[in-house]
Amino acid sequence: MSNEETKKQMPNAVDLILDGWVNSFKALHTFQTELAEKSLQTFATTQKDVLTSTREALSKIEEEKNSISGELNANLQNTIQTINNDQVSQLLSSWMSQVEEINHSVQAISASSSQVLLDLFTQTQVQLETNVKATLDQQQKNSSDVLNKIELLTEHIKETNRILLPTV
């Protein structure tokens, strides 16, 4: 091989090494992008599943609470009807009305506080998802910027190598 052929092959070998180096960065960048997307999808899916199951649990609790309250009222009505004494009957009827009012108040407070907590949890989840997405977007932008700078640096090294090697 002549001296001239060796000089021409040197820049090509360096170019191949630098291209391999840049391609490794590109592969890493692609992997990071895919990982970020899958992480965000998993996060969103998991959070939505938690919210759905929480809503279902609260609905079931509300149904059971209403069922128990209905049974209590029915039992009290039956007890009142079986008592023959009018004065005791009126007293129990009055007491039952007060118990019903208290029960309705407790149910209203309980339902509203559960709903407030669920709404707060939902808002927190949405905000958290937004923050995670923003962070991943910023990370992706930074990663793209670094990749672009590496590509520019590589091209600069190649050009410098082409200039310097023929003069050697």
Side-chain angles (χ1 to χ4, degrees):
M1 197 185 299
S2 74
N3 195 17
E4 189 63 34
E5 288 176 359
T6 304
K7 286 181 182 178
K8 286 182 182 177
Q9 287 181 350
M10 286 294 281
N12 289 339
V14 171
D15 285 353
L16 288 174
I17 291 170
L18 291 174
D19 287 342
W21 185 63
V22 169
N23 287 336
S24 296
F25 275 106
K26 286 180 182 178
L28 179 62
H29 179 266
T30 301
F31 175 74
Q32 285 177 328
T33 301
E34 290 173 2
L35 183 63
E37 288 172 4
K38 289 182 183 190
S39 296
L40 188 59
Q41 289 171 354
T42 301
F43 176 77
T45 302
T46 302
Q47 292 298 322
K48 287 176 185 171
D49 289 346
V50 167
L51 282 173
T52 301
S53 65
T54 303
R55 287 181 203 279
E56 290 171 358
L58 286 174
S59 294
K60 188 178 280 188
I61 290 170
E62 189 69 27
E63 288 173 12
E64 289 178 15
K65 183 173 56 174
N66 290 337
S67 174
I68 291 171
S69 175
E71 288 176 20
L72 175 66
N73 287 337
N75 288 338
L76 284 174
Q77 287 291 344
N78 288 337
T79 303
I80 290 172
Q81 289 175 358
T82 58
I83 297 175
N84 291 333
N85 187 340
D86 285 338
Q87 187 178 13
V88 173
S89 179
Q90 287 177 342
L91 181 63
L92 284 175
S93 179
S94 172
W95 179 76
M96 191 175 117
S97 295
Q98 291 174 353
V99 168
E100 278 186 46
E101 287 178 28
I102 292 170
N103 189 28
H104 288 301
S105 297
V106 168
Q107 285 180 350
I109 291 169
S110 173
S112 65
S113 65
S114 297
Q115 189 60 42
V116 167
L117 285 174
L118 185 58
D119 290 344
L120 179 64
F121 184 66
T122 302
Q123 291 171 357
T124 302
Q125 187 273 332
V126 168
Q127 185 64 42
L128 185 60
E129 187 175 344
T130 301
N131 290 345
V132 168
K133 185 169 180 4
T135 301
L136 290 175
D137 288 345
Q138 184 62 42
Q139 179 184 1
Q140 179 65 29
K141 182 184 176 297
N142 292 346
S143 180
S144 294
D145 289 346
V146 167
L147 181 61
N148 288 337
K149 289 179 182 178
I150 287 173
E151 287 174 337
L152 290 172
L153 175 66
T154 304
E155 286 304 314
H156 182 69
I157 291 171
K158 286 179 185 179
E159 285 300 316
T160 304
N161 190 40
R162 284 187 198 106
I163 293 169
L164 292 177
L165 278 182
T167 60
V168 173

PDB file of all heavy atoms in Angstrom, residues 31-60:
ATOM      1  N   PHE A  31     -33.472   5.042  23.263  1.00  0.00           N
ATOM      2  CA  PHE A  31     -33.855   4.204  24.399  1.00  0.00           C
ATOM      3  C   PHE A  31     -34.437   5.053  25.528  1.00  0.00           C
ATOM      4  O   PHE A  31     -35.458   4.700  26.127  1.00  0.00           O
ATOM      5  CB  PHE A  31     -32.648   3.399  24.892  1.00  0.00           C
ATOM      6  CG  PHE A  31     -32.915   2.595  26.120  1.00  0.00           C
ATOM      7  CD1 PHE A  31     -33.680   1.436  26.054  1.00  0.00           C
ATOM      8  CD2 PHE A  31     -32.417   2.998  27.350  1.00  0.00           C
ATOM      9  CE1 PHE A  31     -33.947   0.697  27.196  1.00  0.00           C
ATOM     10  CE2 PHE A  31     -32.675   2.257  28.494  1.00  0.00           C
ATOM     11  CZ  PHE A  31     -33.445   1.106  28.413  1.00  0.00           C
ATOM     12  N   GLN A  32     -33.791   6.190  25.831  1.00  0.00           N
ATOM     13  CA  GLN A  32     -34.279   7.074  26.892  1.00  0.00           C
ATOM     14  C   GLN A  32     -35.668   7.615  26.543  1.00  0.00           C
ATOM     15  O   GLN A  32     -36.538   7.707  27.408  1.00  0.00           O
ATOM     16  CB  GLN A  32     -33.328   8.242  27.109  1.00  0.00           C
ATOM     17  CG  GLN A  32     -32.066   7.872  27.835  1.00  0.00           C
ATOM     18  CD  GLN A  32     -31.109   9.055  27.967  1.00  0.00           C
ATOM     19  OE1 GLN A  32     -31.061   9.925  27.108  1.00  0.00           O
ATOM     20  NE2 GLN A  32     -30.338   9.055  29.043  1.00  0.00           N
ATOM     21  N   THR A  33     -35.878   7.961  25.287  1.00  0.00           N
ATOM     22  CA  THR A  33     -37.179   8.479  24.855  1.00  0.00           C
ATOM     23  C   THR A  33     -38.267   7.423  25.032  1.00  0.00           C
ATOM     24  O   THR A  33     -39.338   7.706  25.569  1.00  0.00           O
ATOM     25  CB  THR A  33     -37.109   8.920  23.378  1.00  0.00           C
ATOM     26  OG1 THR A  33     -36.101   9.931  23.245  1.00  0.00           O
ATOM     27  CG2 THR A  33     -38.430   9.476  22.908  1.00  0.00           C
ATOM     28  N   GLU A  34     -37.989   6.214  24.593  1.00  0.00           N
ATOM     29  CA  GLU A  34     -38.967   5.133  24.724  1.00  0.00           C
ATOM     30  C   GLU A  34     -39.243   4.823  26.193  1.00  0.00           C
ATOM     31  O   GLU A  34     -40.394   4.591  26.587  1.00  0.00           O
ATOM     32  CB  GLU A  34     -38.474   3.878  24.005  1.00  0.00           C
ATOM     33  CG  GLU A  34     -38.459   4.011  22.502  1.00  0.00           C
ATOM     34  CD  GLU A  34     -37.802   2.823  21.799  1.00  0.00           C
ATOM     35  OE1 GLU A  34     -37.383   1.867  22.480  1.00  0.00           O
ATOM     36  OE2 GLU A  34     -37.707   2.869  20.563  1.00  0.00           O
ATOM     37  N   LEU A  35     -38.210   4.805  27.001  1.00  0.00           N
ATOM     38  CA  LEU A  35     -38.368   4.534  28.428  1.00  0.00           C
ATOM     39  C   LEU A  35     -39.230   5.612  29.092  1.00  0.00           C
ATOM     40  O   LEU A  35     -40.106   5.301  29.902  1.00  0.00           O
ATOM     41  CB  LEU A  35     -36.995   4.459  29.102  1.00  0.00           C
ATOM     42  CG  LEU A  35     -36.981   4.113  30.582  1.00  0.00           C
ATOM     43  CD1 LEU A  35     -37.553   2.719  30.812  1.00  0.00           C
ATOM     44  CD2 LEU A  35     -35.566   4.191  31.124  1.00  0.00           C
ATOM     45  N   ALA A  36     -38.998   6.861  28.734  1.00  0.00           N
ATOM     46  CA  ALA A  36     -39.785   7.959  29.308  1.00  0.00           C
ATOM     47  C   ALA A  36     -41.256   7.824  28.911  1.00  0.00           C
ATOM     48  O   ALA A  36     -42.157   8.001  29.746  1.00  0.00           O
ATOM     49  CB  ALA A  36     -39.238   9.301  28.850  1.00  0.00           C
ATOM     50  N   GLU A  37     -41.517   7.512  27.645  1.00  0.00           N
ATOM     51  CA  GLU A  37     -42.890   7.366  27.181  1.00  0.00           C
ATOM     52  C   GLU A  37     -43.590   6.210  27.891  1.00  0.00           C
ATOM     53  O   GLU A  37     -44.735   6.338  28.338  1.00  0.00           O
ATOM     54  CB  GLU A  37     -42.919   7.144  25.668  1.00  0.00           C
ATOM     55  CG  GLU A  37     -42.575   8.376  24.864  1.00  0.00           C
ATOM     56  CD  GLU A  37     -42.417   8.103  23.378  1.00  0.00           C
ATOM     57  OE1 GLU A  37     -42.649   6.949  22.940  1.00  0.00           O
ATOM     58  OE2 GLU A  37     -42.054   9.033  22.647  1.00  0.00           O
ATOM     59  N   LYS A  38     -42.909   5.078  28.023  1.00  0.00           N
ATOM     60  CA  LYS A  38     -43.516   3.921  28.681  1.00  0.00           C
ATOM     61  C   LYS A  38     -43.727   4.187  30.169  1.00  0.00           C
ATOM     62  O   LYS A  38     -44.733   3.758  30.743  1.00  0.00           O
ATOM     63  CB  LYS A  38     -42.670   2.677  28.457  1.00  0.00           C
ATOM     64  CG  LYS A  38     -42.752   2.201  27.020  1.00  0.00           C
ATOM     65  CD  LYS A  38     -41.980   0.947  26.771  1.00  0.00           C
ATOM     66  CE  LYS A  38     -42.095   0.628  25.288  1.00  0.00           C
ATOM     67  NZ  LYS A  38     -41.600  -0.646  24.926  1.00  0.00           N
ATOM     68  N   SER A  39     -42.804   4.903  30.787  1.00  0.00           N
ATOM     69  CA  SER A  39     -42.960   5.240  32.204  1.00  0.00           C
ATOM     70  C   SER A  39     -44.185   6.124  32.409  1.00  0.00           C
ATOM     71  O   SER A  39     -44.966   5.909  33.347  1.00  0.00           O
ATOM     72  CB  SER A  39     -41.721   5.966  32.721  1.00  0.00           C
ATOM     73  OG  SER A  39     -40.601   5.133  32.665  1.00  0.00           O
ATOM     74  N   LEU A  40     -44.359   7.107  31.538  1.00  0.00           N
ATOM     75  CA  LEU A  40     -45.504   8.006  31.649  1.00  0.00           C
ATOM     76  C   LEU A  40     -46.808   7.247  31.416  1.00  0.00           C
ATOM     77  O   LEU A  40     -47.789   7.454  32.137  1.00  0.00           O
ATOM     78  CB  LEU A  40     -45.374   9.163  30.655  1.00  0.00           C
ATOM     79  CG  LEU A  40     -46.394  10.275  30.785  1.00  0.00           C
ATOM     80  CD1 LEU A  40     -46.328  10.905  32.170  1.00  0.00           C
ATOM     81  CD2 LEU A  40     -46.167  11.330  29.721  1.00  0.00           C
ATOM     82  N   GLN A  41     -46.821   6.352  30.433  1.00  0.00           N
ATOM     83  CA  GLN A  41     -48.020   5.553  30.171  1.00  0.00           C
ATOM     84  C   GLN A  41     -48.355   4.678  31.380  1.00  0.00           C
ATOM     85  O   GLN A  41     -49.518   4.581  31.789  1.00  0.00           O
ATOM     86  CB  GLN A  41     -47.822   4.669  28.935  1.00  0.00           C
ATOM     87  CG  GLN A  41     -47.805   5.431  27.629  1.00  0.00           C
ATOM     88  CD  GLN A  41     -47.388   4.545  26.455  1.00  0.00           C
ATOM     89  OE1 GLN A  41     -47.006   3.394  26.625  1.00  0.00           O
ATOM     90  NE2 GLN A  41     -47.462   5.106  25.253  1.00  0.00           N
ATOM     91  N   THR A  42     -47.351   4.035  31.939  1.00  0.00           N
ATOM     92  CA  THR A  42     -47.565   3.162  33.100  1.00  0.00           C
ATOM     93  C   THR A  42     -48.064   3.974  34.288  1.00  0.00           C
ATOM     94  O   THR A  42     -48.991   3.564  34.986  1.00  0.00           O
ATOM     95  CB  THR A  42     -46.257   2.434  33.471  1.00  0.00           C
ATOM     96  OG1 THR A  42     -45.830   1.665  32.348  1.00  0.00           O
ATOM     97  CG2 THR A  42     -46.434   1.540  34.669  1.00  0.00           C
ATOM     98  N   PHE A  43     -47.458   5.123  34.495  1.00  0.00           N
ATOM     99  CA  PHE A  43     -47.861   6.004  35.599  1.00  0.00           C
ATOM    100  C   PHE A  43     -49.326   6.408  35.449  1.00  0.00           C
ATOM    101  O   PHE A  43     -50.107   6.294  36.400  1.00  0.00           O
ATOM    102  CB  PHE A  43     -46.958   7.241  35.614  1.00  0.00           C
ATOM    103  CG  PHE A  43     -47.333   8.255  36.645  1.00  0.00           C
ATOM    104  CD1 PHE A  43     -47.018   8.059  37.968  1.00  0.00           C
ATOM    105  CD2 PHE A  43     -48.010   9.404  36.283  1.00  0.00           C
ATOM    106  CE1 PHE A  43     -47.362   8.996  38.929  1.00  0.00           C
ATOM    107  CE2 PHE A  43     -48.357  10.339  37.235  1.00  0.00           C
ATOM    108  CZ  PHE A  43     -48.036  10.132  38.555  1.00  0.00           C
ATOM    109  N   ALA A  44     -49.691   6.866  34.250  1.00  0.00           N
ATOM    110  CA  ALA A  44     -51.067   7.315  34.014  1.00  0.00           C
ATOM    111  C   ALA A  44     -52.051   6.160  34.196  1.00  0.00           C
ATOM    112  O   ALA A  44     -53.098   6.318  34.831  1.00  0.00           O
ATOM    113  CB  ALA A  44     -51.192   7.915  32.613  1.00  0.00           C
ATOM    114  N   THR A  45     -51.713   4.992  33.671  1.00  0.00           N
ATOM    115  CA  THR A  45     -52.597   3.838  33.776  1.00  0.00           C
ATOM    116  C   THR A  45     -52.770   3.419  35.235  1.00  0.00           C
ATOM    117  O   THR A  45     -53.891   3.174  35.690  1.00  0.00           O
ATOM    118  CB  THR A  45     -52.036   2.658  32.955  1.00  0.00           C
ATOM    119  OG1 THR A  45     -51.885   3.074  31.598  1.00  0.00           O
ATOM    120  CG2 THR A  45     -52.948   1.466  33.008  1.00  0.00           C
ATOM    121  N   THR A  46     -51.681   3.347  35.963  1.00  0.00           N
ATOM    122  CA  THR A  46     -51.742   2.933  37.367  1.00  0.00           C
ATOM    123  C   THR A  46     -52.576   3.912  38.189  1.00  0.00           C
ATOM    124  O   THR A  46     -53.425   3.498  38.979  1.00  0.00           O
ATOM    125  CB  THR A  46     -50.322   2.838  37.955  1.00  0.00           C
ATOM    126  OG1 THR A  46     -49.564   1.909  37.174  1.00  0.00           O
ATOM    127  CG2 THR A  46     -50.346   2.399  39.396  1.00  0.00           C
ATOM    128  N   GLN A  47     -52.338   5.188  37.991  1.00  0.00           N
ATOM    129  CA  GLN A  47     -53.078   6.195  38.747  1.00  0.00           C
ATOM    130  C   GLN A  47     -54.569   6.147  38.419  1.00  0.00           C
ATOM    131  O   GLN A  47     -55.409   6.278  39.297  1.00  0.00           O
ATOM    132  CB  GLN A  47     -52.515   7.594  38.479  1.00  0.00           C
ATOM    133  CG  GLN A  47     -51.139   7.815  39.034  1.00  0.00           C
ATOM    134  CD  GLN A  47     -51.104   7.690  40.546  1.00  0.00           C
ATOM    135  OE1 GLN A  47     -52.012   8.097  41.248  1.00  0.00           O
ATOM    136  NE2 GLN A  47     -50.049   7.099  41.053  1.00  0.00           N
ATOM    137  N   LYS A  48     -54.894   5.959  37.148  1.00  0.00           N
ATOM    138  CA  LYS A  48     -56.305   5.882  36.761  1.00  0.00           C
ATOM    139  C   LYS A  48     -56.961   4.638  37.358  1.00  0.00           C
ATOM    140  O   LYS A  48     -58.116   4.692  37.781  1.00  0.00           O
ATOM    141  CB  LYS A  48     -56.436   5.905  35.239  1.00  0.00           C
ATOM    142  CG  LYS A  48     -56.146   7.286  34.678  1.00  0.00           C
ATOM    143  CD  LYS A  48     -56.172   7.324  33.176  1.00  0.00           C
ATOM    144  CE  LYS A  48     -55.752   8.716  32.714  1.00  0.00           C
ATOM    145  NZ  LYS A  48     -55.553   8.787  31.288  1.00  0.00           N
ATOM    146  N   ASP A  49     -56.225   3.537  37.414  1.00  0.00           N
ATOM    147  CA  ASP A  49     -56.758   2.328  38.039  1.00  0.00           C
ATOM    148  C   ASP A  49     -57.029   2.555  39.523  1.00  0.00           C
ATOM    149  O   ASP A  49     -58.061   2.117  40.047  1.00  0.00           O
ATOM    150  CB  ASP A  49     -55.789   1.153  37.860  1.00  0.00           C
ATOM    151  CG  ASP A  49     -55.724   0.640  36.434  1.00  0.00           C
ATOM    152  OD1 ASP A  49     -56.612   1.012  35.630  1.00  0.00           O
ATOM    153  OD2 ASP A  49     -54.787  -0.117  36.120  1.00  0.00           O
ATOM    154  N   VAL A  50     -56.121   3.239  40.197  1.00  0.00           N
ATOM    155  CA  VAL A  50     -56.304   3.533  41.624  1.00  0.00           C
ATOM    156  C   VAL A  50     -57.535   4.422  41.823  1.00  0.00           C
ATOM    157  O   VAL A  50     -58.359   4.177  42.720  1.00  0.00           O
ATOM    158  CB  VAL A  50     -55.039   4.203  42.221  1.00  0.00           C
ATOM    159  CG1 VAL A  50     -55.315   4.797  43.588  1.00  0.00           C
ATOM    160  CG2 VAL A  50     -53.904   3.215  42.288  1.00  0.00           C
ATOM    161  N   LEU A  51     -57.672   5.439  40.980  1.00  0.00           N
ATOM    162  CA  LEU A  51     -58.832   6.329  41.097  1.00  0.00           C
ATOM    163  C   LEU A  51     -60.130   5.571  40.847  1.00  0.00           C
ATOM    164  O   LEU A  51     -61.113   5.755  41.574  1.00  0.00           O
ATOM    165  CB  LEU A  51     -58.716   7.489  40.104  1.00  0.00           C
ATOM    166  CG  LEU A  51     -57.773   8.611  40.501  1.00  0.00           C
ATOM    167  CD1 LEU A  51     -57.618   9.609  39.369  1.00  0.00           C
ATOM    168  CD2 LEU A  51     -58.287   9.307  41.742  1.00  0.00           C
ATOM    169  N   THR A  52     -60.146   4.727  39.843  1.00  0.00           N
ATOM    170  CA  THR A  52     -61.349   3.961  39.521  1.00  0.00           C
ATOM    171  C   THR A  52     -61.723   3.041  40.676  1.00  0.00           C
ATOM    172  O   THR A  52     -62.891   2.984  41.087  1.00  0.00           O
ATOM    173  CB  THR A  52     -61.137   3.149  38.234  1.00  0.00           C
ATOM    174  OG1 THR A  52     -60.830   4.053  37.166  1.00  0.00           O
ATOM    175  CG2 THR A  52     -62.358   2.344  37.876  1.00  0.00           C
ATOM    176  N   SER A  53     -60.749   2.326  41.215  1.00  0.00           N
ATOM    177  CA  SER A  53     -61.051   1.411  42.323  1.00  0.00           C
ATOM    178  C   SER A  53     -61.486   2.178  43.570  1.00  0.00           C
ATOM    179  O   SER A  53     -62.359   1.719  44.311  1.00  0.00           O
ATOM    180  CB  SER A  53     -59.853   0.511  42.625  1.00  0.00           C
ATOM    181  OG  SER A  53     -58.766   1.264  43.101  1.00  0.00           O
ATOM    182  N   THR A  54     -60.923   3.354  43.794  1.00  0.00           N
ATOM    183  CA  THR A  54     -61.329   4.170  44.938  1.00  0.00           C
ATOM    184  C   THR A  54     -62.769   4.643  44.782  1.00  0.00           C
ATOM    185  O   THR A  54     -63.554   4.595  45.738  1.00  0.00           O
ATOM    186  CB  THR A  54     -60.389   5.385  45.100  1.00  0.00           C
ATOM    187  OG1 THR A  54     -59.051   4.919  45.249  1.00  0.00           O
ATOM    188  CG2 THR A  54     -60.769   6.229  46.300  1.00  0.00           C
ATOM    189  N   ARG A  55     -63.108   5.084  43.578  1.00  0.00           N
ATOM    190  CA  ARG A  55     -64.494   5.510  43.323  1.00  0.00           C
ATOM    191  C   ARG A  55     -65.465   4.338  43.542  1.00  0.00           C
ATOM    192  O   ARG A  55     -66.529   4.514  44.139  1.00  0.00           O
ATOM    193  CB  ARG A  55     -64.644   6.030  41.901  1.00  0.00           C
ATOM    194  CG  ARG A  55     -64.038   7.375  41.655  1.00  0.00           C
ATOM    195  CD  ARG A  55     -64.272   7.818  40.204  1.00  0.00           C
ATOM    196  NE  ARG A  55     -63.317   8.779  39.748  1.00  0.00           N
ATOM    197  CZ  ARG A  55     -63.357  10.074  40.006  1.00  0.00           C
ATOM    198  NH1 ARG A  55     -64.336  10.550  40.721  1.00  0.00           N
ATOM    199  NH2 ARG A  55     -62.434  10.882  39.556  1.00  0.00           N
ATOM    200  N   GLU A  56     -65.104   3.173  43.035  1.00  0.00           N
ATOM    201  CA  GLU A  56     -65.963   1.996  43.197  1.00  0.00           C
ATOM    202  C   GLU A  56     -66.120   1.639  44.673  1.00  0.00           C
ATOM    203  O   GLU A  56     -67.226   1.305  45.118  1.00  0.00           O
ATOM    204  CB  GLU A  56     -65.390   0.818  42.412  1.00  0.00           C
ATOM    205  CG  GLU A  56     -65.499   0.988  40.909  1.00  0.00           C
ATOM    206  CD  GLU A  56     -64.743  -0.080  40.132  1.00  0.00           C
ATOM    207  OE1 GLU A  56     -64.088  -0.948  40.744  1.00  0.00           O
ATOM    208  OE2 GLU A  56     -64.819  -0.039  38.890  1.00  0.00           O
ATOM    209  N   ALA A  57     -65.024   1.697  45.429  1.00  0.00           N
ATOM    210  CA  ALA A  57     -65.087   1.378  46.857  1.00  0.00           C
ATOM    211  C   ALA A  57     -65.974   2.371  47.599  1.00  0.00           C
ATOM    212  O   ALA A  57     -66.790   1.972  48.450  1.00  0.00           O
ATOM    213  CB  ALA A  57     -63.683   1.362  47.451  1.00  0.00           C
ATOM    214  N   LEU A  58     -65.829   3.655  47.280  1.00  0.00           N
ATOM    215  CA  LEU A  58     -66.668   4.661  47.937  1.00  0.00           C
ATOM    216  C   LEU A  58     -68.143   4.479  47.577  1.00  0.00           C
ATOM    217  O   LEU A  58     -69.021   4.637  48.434  1.00  0.00           O
ATOM    218  CB  LEU A  58     -66.206   6.073  47.570  1.00  0.00           C
ATOM    219  CG  LEU A  58     -64.914   6.532  48.240  1.00  0.00           C
ATOM    220  CD1 LEU A  58     -64.484   7.887  47.699  1.00  0.00           C
ATOM    221  CD2 LEU A  58     -65.072   6.594  49.741  1.00  0.00           C
ATOM    222  N   SER A  59     -68.427   4.121  46.357  1.00  0.00           N
ATOM    223  CA  SER A  59     -69.818   3.870  45.952  1.00  0.00           C
ATOM    224  C   SER A  59     -70.388   2.667  46.694  1.00  0.00           C
ATOM    225  O   SER A  59     -71.539   2.701  47.157  1.00  0.00           O
ATOM    226  CB  SER A  59     -69.899   3.613  44.441  1.00  0.00           C
ATOM    227  OG  SER A  59     -69.552   4.762  43.723  1.00  0.00           O
ATOM    228  N   LYS A  60     -69.574   1.630  46.825  1.00  0.00           N
ATOM    229  CA  LYS A  60     -70.027   0.433  47.540  1.00  0.00           C
ATOM    230  C   LYS A  60     -70.280   0.750  49.012  1.00  0.00           C
ATOM    231  O   LYS A  60     -71.279   0.308  49.594  1.00  0.00           O
ATOM    232  CB  LYS A  60     -68.980  -0.680  47.415  1.00  0.00           C
ATOM    233  CG  LYS A  60     -69.452  -2.008  47.968  1.00  0.00           C
ATOM    234  CD  LYS A  60     -68.401  -3.074  47.783  1.00  0.00           C
ATOM    235  CE  LYS A  60     -68.484  -3.571  46.358  1.00  0.00           C
ATOM    236  NZ  LYS A  60     -67.632  -4.742  46.115  1.00  0.00           N
TER     237      LYS A  60
END
